[in-house]
Amino acid sequence: MSENKNKKFSIGKLLIAILVILLVVLLCMSLFKKDDSSNNDPVTRDFFTDYYNSLSSGYSGNWKLGTNVGVLNDKVASNVKAKRTQILGSNKDIITIMVYMCGSDLESKNAMGVYDLQEMAAANLSDNINLIVYTGGTTKWHTNAISTQVTQIYRVHKGGIEQLVSNAGTGSMVDPSTLTSFIEWCADNYEANRYELIMWDHGSGSVGGYGYDEKYPKLGSMSLAQMDKALTDADVAFDFVAFDACLMGNLETGLMLAEHADYLIGSEEAEPGIGWYYTDWLNALSKNTSMPTIEIGKAIADSFVAQCGKQTPGQSATL
């Protein structure tokens, strides 16, 4: 008798549970059911129509959907502050590109730094472009030309790399003073009217910051505040500061860089491990060192996305 009662009790609980679930589902359906009458509400309709039109006349509407390569919107707000970099025009501009290459495990495990150096060397660089690379931050370089013991400075030149400083010290590359010293050295030794800075390594966004030095793992990353100090101490006005790194295309990074550069180039999402493709945009810039900065940015973004599509088709790419 007690067994039958227990069975009835169990069946009763199950039926109650099923009824409760059905009631919850019906309630949710009623709450989220599309109300077609809202489409006839002139306030609602006009609000979304105006909002859509505002997007269509701004950034979103100027990109041709269907591929990742778009039509550049080159409009500039009328109240934007004056640019720090004055472009001379007629291919007369001298450009110094500073690449801060903290190799980390990207290099020690996968040779990503060396691959990018090869892409840089493959470009037919103009004599008006000084491409200077600071190396360090990894336990292994996949080339005997670069030291794993000390940081060094190289110039990408004539299809290869030319050593400029054999020993730039043993400091961590996430130490802001190391970045400051590199920028100052480049500005002193390769004076130009256009300065560009590329931060190469891992990125962890506005909270985590930039970089991971494999030789100093306990130091973590360089925060945005530390980067701000490094750039302030170096006191060089940049045409653009860019990140060949994940997650650095965000508002906080842009606000920090507003006092140091005219443009920020960065990815809002994670970058595939191959990073930027350097050959094509360096070739384009070499043909015209007076190229507008937004055109440089477009060339970098387009070549990056296109190359990722070929080498890492299963991964998304944003820049």
Side-chain angles (χ1 to χ4, degrees), residues 215-252:
K215 298 169 72 173
Y216 296 88
K218 294 183 179 179
L219 293 184
S221 300
M222 186 186 303
S223 69
L224 294 188
Q226 289 175 314
M227 192 179 301
D228 180 52
K229 175 174 172 50
L231 296 173
T232 299
D233 291 346
D235 194 26
V236 171
F238 287 99
D239 191 8
F240 70 71
V241 172
F243 292 88
D244 191 354
C246 296
L247 305 171
M248 300 306 294
N250 53 67
L251 179 62
E252 293 85 353

Side-chain angles (χ1 to χ4, degrees), residues 65-78:
L65 302 181
T67 68
N68 283 331
V69 180
V71 176
L72 182 66
N73 181 349
D74 59 0
K75 295 178 182 178
V76 178
S78 59

Side-chain angles (χ1 to χ4, degrees), residues 8 37 129-130 137 144 163 171 193 312 318:
K8 288 179 180 179
S37 64
I129 293 180
N130 306 303
N144 294 327
Q163 187 180 94
N193 68 293
T312 59
T318 60

Side-chain angles (χ1 to χ4, degrees), residues 4-240:
N4 290 335
K5 283 184 178 179
N6 288 336
K7 287 181 180 178
K8 288 179 180 179
F9 182 69
S10 298
I11 293 172
K13 286 201 299 183
L14 179 61
L15 289 173
I16 292 173
I18 292 173
L19 286 172
V20 170
I21 292 171
L22 287 172
L23 287 172
V24 170
V25 171
L26 290 172
L27 179 62
C28 290
M29 289 175 65
S30 66
L31 288 174
F32 291 100
K33 182 181 178 183
K34 183 179 178 181
D35 183 4
D36 293 334
S37 64
S38 65
N39 292 332
N40 297 320
D41 178 357
V43 175
T44 304
R45 186 183 68 247
D46 290 345
F47 171 80
F48 284 106
T49 300
D50 292 344
Y51 180 67
Y52 177 80
N53 289 338
S54 70
L55 290 178
S56 299
S57 62
Y59 291 104
S60 299
N62 286 319
W63 288 84
K64 304 300 182 184
L65 302 181
T67 68
N68 283 331
V69 180
V71 176
L72 182 66
N73 181 349
D74 59 0
K75 295 178 182 178
V76 178
S78 59
N79 60 343
V80 71
K81 62 184 178 183
K83 298 290 184 288
R84 295 171 175 79
T85 299
Q86 299 301 312
I87 299 176
L88 302 177
S90 302
N91 207 21
K92 296 179 181 178
D93 293 87
I94 307 297
I95 304 175
T96 293
I97 304 172
M98 311 174 195
V99 182
Y100 195 68
M101 184 173 283
C102 184
S104 69
D105 58 324
L106 293 172
E107 173 59 26
S108 64
K109 292 181 179 179
N110 299 300
M112 294 302 180
V114 167
Y115 287 144
D116 278 354
L117 287 171
Q118 291 173 344
E119 290 172 5
M120 296 175 197
N124 185 21
L125 290 172
S126 165
D127 290 337
N128 285 353
I129 293 180
N130 306 303
L131 181 51
I132 314 299
V133 183
Y134 193 93
T135 60
T138 183
T139 56
K140 179 183 179 181
W141 287 96
H142 289 258
T143 172
N144 294 327
I146 302 176
S147 171
T148 58
Q149 304 303 314
V150 295
T151 56
Q152 296 178 307
I153 301 177
Y154 290 85
R155 182 186 181 192
V156 180
H157 186 56
K158 296 182 178 179
I161 58 172
E162 172 192 358
Q163 187 180 94
L164 301 177
V165 178
S166 60
N167 185 350
T170 57
S172 168
M173 288 191 68
V174 296
D175 184 334
S177 64
T178 306
L179 176 58
T180 297
S181 66
F182 172 55
I183 295 171
E184 291 177 336
W185 188 93
C186 289
D188 289 342
N189 290 276
Y190 289 92
E191 186 177 355
N193 68 293
R194 300 183 78 174
Y195 291 106
E196 329 290 5
L197 175 63
I198 300 172
M199 306 290 286
W200 190 106
D201 192 12
H202 289 291
S204 301
S206 55
V207 176
Y210 155 85
Y212 167 67
D213 190 318
E214 203 173 34
K215 298 169 72 173
Y216 296 88
K218 294 183 179 179
L219 293 184
S221 300
M222 186 186 303
S223 69
L224 294 188
Q226 289 175 314
M227 192 179 301
D228 180 52
K229 175 174 172 50
L231 296 173
T232 299
D233 291 346
D235 194 26
V236 171
F238 287 99
D239 191 8
F240 70 71

